[in-house]
């Protein structure tokens, strides 16, 4: 497994509230997470960091092989534990009132993977030149689009497209969407904050990920550059995981 992790504050924001982390566990399981924080008084970066730290702590205890169902259960538990940690701090400290974060996380086994998410950070899988979105945004605009009240074109430019219907840490109880998917050699997983896909189209992302002259780090850098060139209106984070039989890790 190879990984590349890149993040940029963007051209408008004063603080980078995105956080990301990826690692291959001692048991040979790939784990990765991207969190996009929100909240006043710079609380967003606290929420996203707490979520990543909690997730990392849970995943550090993983050893040996897991079944797909066991991985789904563990991923859900890790995200719910992060929700509890963020919610408790926000509840006990006025400085962090109402802080929260999106989260998208994945566990990669030998021939399958699991993705879990809350909010509008996304996971995509590239296989044989085709880019497939694995997650579904928890946003007001996505709900309107699903119910047919607005078109996909209207959703892309809707003034309330950033309004979340679900976030980590804002409520004591939260629902996590968990999804299994197949995972083969040479597959590429992209986890990203909305600062990427709101600026860069799926087709542009697909073409960049297919650029064979760029290594994994180079492709992550290129995606960041494209988001900045398009306006960089938000923090932008890109985490790539490549299913590679060779040893070593980038990023």
């Amino acid at each position: 497994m190879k990984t590349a992790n890149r993040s940029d504050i963007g051209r408008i924001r004063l603080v980078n509230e995105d956080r990301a982390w990826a690692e291959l566990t001692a048991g040979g399981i790939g784990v990765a997470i991207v969190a996009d924080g929100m909240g006043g008084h710079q609380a967003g970066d606290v929420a996203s960091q707490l979520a990543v730290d909690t997730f990392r702590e849970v995943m550090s205890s993983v050893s040996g092989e897991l079944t797909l169902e066991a991985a789904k259960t563990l991923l859900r538990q890790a995200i719910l534990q992060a929700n509890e940690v963020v919610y408790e701090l926000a509840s006990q400290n006025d400085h962090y009132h109402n802080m929260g974060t999106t989260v998208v996380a994945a566990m990669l086994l030998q021939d399958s993977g699991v993705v879990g998410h809350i909010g509008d950070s996304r996971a995509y899988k590239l296989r044989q030149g085709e880019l497939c979105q694995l997650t579904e945004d928890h946003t007001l605009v996505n709900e309107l689009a699903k119910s047919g009240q607005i078109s996909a074109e209207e959703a892309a430019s809707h003034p309330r497209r950033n309004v979340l219907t679900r976030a980590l840490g804002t409520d004591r109880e939260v629902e996590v969407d968990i999804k299994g998917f197949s995972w083969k050699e040479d597959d590429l997983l992209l986890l990203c904050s909305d600062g990427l896909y709101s600026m860069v189209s799926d087709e542009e992302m697909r073409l960049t990920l297919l650029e064979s002259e760029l290594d994994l780090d180079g492709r992550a850098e290129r995606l960041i550059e494209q988001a900045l060139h398009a306006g960089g209106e938000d923090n932008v984070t890109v985490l790539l995981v490549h299913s590679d039989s060779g040893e070593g890790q980038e990023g």
Side-chain angles (χ1 to χ4, degrees), residues 8-15 194-196 198-200 223-237:
D8 194 281
I9 194 171
R11 300 196 183 280
I12 295 174
R13 304 284 184 168
L14 299 177
V15 177
D194 65 329
L196 177 67
S198 63
M199 297 280 103
V200 183
L223 288 171
I224 295 284
E225 289 168 4
Q226 289 173 316
L228 295 176
H229 183 71
E233 295 175 5
D234 200 354
N235 307 148
V236 53
T237 295

Side-chain angles (χ1 to χ4, degrees), residues 70-244:
K72 286 181 177 179
T73 299
L74 183 60
L75 188 61
R76 187 187 307 277
Q77 289 175 344
I79 294 174
L80 289 177
Q81 190 166 324
N83 183 77
E84 184 178 332
V85 169
V86 175
Y87 178 79
E88 287 302 321
L89 181 59
S91 302
Q92 296 165 9
N93 190 322
D94 288 343
H95 193 66
Y96 299 135
H97 180 64
N98 276 342
M99 75 172 175
T101 183
T102 71
V103 64
V104 59
M107 296 182 69
L108 302 169
L109 313 178
Q110 287 295 100
D111 57 2
S112 62
V114 185
V115 64
H117 84 291
I118 302 173
D120 63 354
S121 290
R122 290 181 180 177
Y124 294 85
K125 182 178 74 173
L126 181 78
R127 173 180 289 172
Q128 295 180 341
E130 295 298 317
L131 188 66
C132 171
Q133 185 177 328
L134 298 175
T135 54
E136 189 173 284
D137 300 342
H138 299 141
T139 59
L140 173 63
V141 164
N142 190 48
E143 292 297 325
L144 293 173
K146 283 199 302 181
S147 64
Q149 296 181 60
I150 61 174
S151 67
E153 291 74 20
E154 288 171 321
S157 58
H158 197 283
R160 302 190 69 192
R161 62 187 179 278
N162 294 324
V163 177
L164 300 178
T165 55
R166 210 185 300 179
L168 184 149
T170 55
D171 296 285
R172 187 177 296 277
E173 304 290 335
V174 68
E175 184 181 351
V176 186
D177 282 3
I178 301 287
K179 178 179 182 177
F181 58 93
S182 65
W183 182 245
K184 298 179 179 178
E185 186 173 341
D186 207 36
D187 282 355
L188 186 62
L189 183 72
L190 162 64
L191 304 185
C192 64
S193 59
D194 65 329
L196 177 67
Y197 67 78
S198 63
M199 297 280 103
V200 183
S201 71
D202 284 9
E203 179 62 10
E204 288 174 309
M205 286 192 275
R206 186 184 74 86
L207 292 173
T208 298
L209 293 174
L210 287 171
E211 289 195 22
S212 56
E213 77 278 8
L214 295 175
D215 64 8
L216 207 60
D217 281 321
R219 282 177 253 182
E221 291 277 10
R222 181 70 57 83
L223 288 171
I224 295 284
E225 289 168 4
Q226 289 173 316
L228 295 176
H229 183 71
E233 295 175 5
D234 200 354
N235 307 148
V236 53
T237 295
V238 171
L239 198 163
L240 300 178
V241 184
H242 185 213
S243 177
D244 189 331

Side-chain angles (χ1 to χ4, degrees), residues 34-53:
V34 167
D36 178 357
M38 58 193 188
H41 308 295
Q42 299 185 8
D45 53 337
V46 174
S48 56
Q49 188 67 59
L50 271 176
V52 169
D53 288 347

